[in-house]
Amino acid sequence: MQKNLQTVTIQTGIPGTITLLQKGVTIHATSGMSIRDFMVEEIGLSPDYAETRVRAIFVNGSPVDDIDGVKIKDGDEVSLSGALPGISGIAMCRDTPISGFRSDISAKTSEAVRSGDAIIYLKLFNLIAKEAGPILLKKGVIAQAEDVRNFLKDSAPEGLPAEDGPILLKI
């Protein structure tokens, strides 16, 4: 995590936490790691959970099918979701019979190797935000103080800096 960030602690399950995770938070990772390794090593998901519960993955807006072949790099935006509703949702989830119809927009595999620090903007949606959010927050995320105030409202923690800027948010 970044140095010199004020650590702010929140309670598990307070209203607004899921909305904050949907808006997005920042975490550190290693550039060149696969999406699977990112979910397991950096977020803290079990390998089984990453494989079976995380059904829709986007890197910089492109759907991901190959969680071992697609690698992250500094500045990427990664979105994780459970199953998405409707035909569009089915088309965007991985391992579906119709995912081939969107191959032109899918994230491409990479031969990148692990090297160097990567700052990743992470968004969690639906059941992934609810189930995996606490796991991620135990490790800590970088969030904007203004976003914490806006989304947690009356549940915003004491000790939140009055000025806007990045904080280390943990449960």
Side-chain angles (χ1 to χ4, degrees):
M1 295 286 160
Q2 294 176 345
K3 294 181 180 178
N4 303 322
L5 287 179
Q6 179 178 338
T7 300
V8 176
T9 304
I10 61 172
Q11 294 178 354
T12 303
I14 60 173
T17 305
I18 290 175
T19 309
L20 176 65
L21 294 172
Q22 289 173 346
K23 191 222 184 258
V25 294
T26 303
I27 67 171
H28 284 253
T30 302
S31 188
M33 71 186 327
S34 71
I35 295 296
R36 181 187 307 273
D37 290 344
F38 173 72
M39 289 190 293
V40 173
E41 295 172 24
E42 300 302 333
I43 297 174
L45 305 180
S46 74
D48 182 60
Y49 186 93
E51 180 64 38
T52 60
R53 299 287 278 175
V54 182
R55 303 307 311 145
I57 302 168
F58 295 86
V59 174
N60 301 324
S62 294
V64 173
D65 291 307
D66 183 358
I67 63 174
D68 294 307
V70 174
K71 311 291 174 74
I72 59 168
K73 64 184 181 317
D74 185 43
D76 278 351
E77 179 179 291
V78 176
S79 301
L80 305 177
S81 176
L84 299 171
I87 191 71
S88 295
I90 293 168
M92 292 300 145
C93 288
R94 57 193 185 93
D95 300 328
T96 65
I98 60 175
S99 63
F101 291 109
R102 60 159 167 73
S103 61
D104 288 346
I105 64 167
S106 296
K108 306 300 181 221
T109 60
S110 168
E111 295 301 318
V113 296
R114 290 182 181 221
S115 65
D117 192 36
I119 298 174
I120 305 299
Y121 193 69
L122 176 65
K123 296 179 177 184
L124 303 179
F125 294 96
N126 59 36
L127 70 97
I128 305 303
K130 183 178 179 180
E131 295 173 353
I135 295 166
L136 178 65
L137 287 167
K138 283 181 185 173
K139 294 182 100 172
V141 299
I142 299 170
Q144 296 297 314
E146 177 181 21
D147 290 340
V148 174
R149 272 193 295 282
N150 288 341
F151 292 117
L152 303 188
K153 303 203 182 299
D154 293 337
S155 299
E158 291 185 25
L160 191 62
E163 67 279 352
D164 294 331
I167 60 166
L168 179 61
L169 188 65
K170 297 180 93 171
I171 56 172

